[in-house]
Amino acid sequence: MRTSLVRRPVVIVGLVVVAIVAVAGLYWFQPWKLWVDETVREELPAASPASPAAPASPDGSEAPASPAAPAGPEVLATGTFISHEHATTGSVKILRLADGSRTLRIEDLDTSSGPDLRVWLTDAPVKEGRDGWHVFDDGEYVSLGKLKGNKGDQNYALPADADLNRLTSVSIWCDRFDVSFGAAELRKAAA
């Protein structure tokens, strides 16, 4: 009597192994993210300083108001994304808000989605082409968190101790595959 090919233990084990490898590969690479876009449209951050009550003059009327705070955030540095592993465009700014906090703002971002994308502030030089794909984890970097969306405008709070004299670039970093999707060199804004 002939045993069906599918009933043989070796074939069953082989099919189970192939299924496990396929599921693990799908989880690891997440290829569907190449066709799914997530657009984020965060407003320009604003933080207003605490406004003390206007002091009263000796005659009981309000004293003249103090000079107005700056109209918007102060731009400390700017940059433009270049492509690395995936086509990436957009711009980046580091802003000081009225309360003294600093924010990294990404505007008009357009890149591929991917597994485990992060926004990194780094000390690595931004290099064109394949030479720039893997340099951002070689030195100092600060992870500002997961990329909120692969398209649009988004804000990331900077730690108070982030040294902008040393951390001079931004990378959209794929932590799963240790590769930069795109990066921007930060240039200090003119005073």
Side-chain angles (χ1 to χ4, degrees), residues 30-134:
Q30 299 177 359
W32 58 88
K33 287 195 171 187
L34 293 174
W35 296 282
V36 176
D37 291 327
E38 186 169 347
T39 302
V40 174
R41 296 280 181 219
E42 290 185 332
E43 294 295 321
L44 187 67
S48 56
S51 55
S57 65
D59 66 0
S61 64
E62 281 189 19
S66 60
E74 176 188 1
V75 177
L76 301 177
T78 61
T80 302
F81 281 106
I82 64 166
S83 298
H84 280 149
E85 171 71 20
H86 293 266
T88 301
T89 59
S91 63
V92 63
K93 295 178 187 175
I94 296 197
L95 306 169
R96 182 183 345 256
L97 305 180
D99 65 1
S101 65
R102 298 173 301 173
T103 297
L104 182 133
R105 177 157 173 86
I106 298 174
E107 295 181 331
D108 300 320
L109 179 66
D110 189 357
T111 191
S112 297
S113 189
D116 207 12
L117 293 181
R118 307 287 172 150
V119 177
W120 279 11
L121 187 60
T122 79
D123 66 350
V126 176
K127 299 177 182 178
E128 296 274 346
R130 291 183 69 95
D131 290 341
W133 288 16
H134 302 282

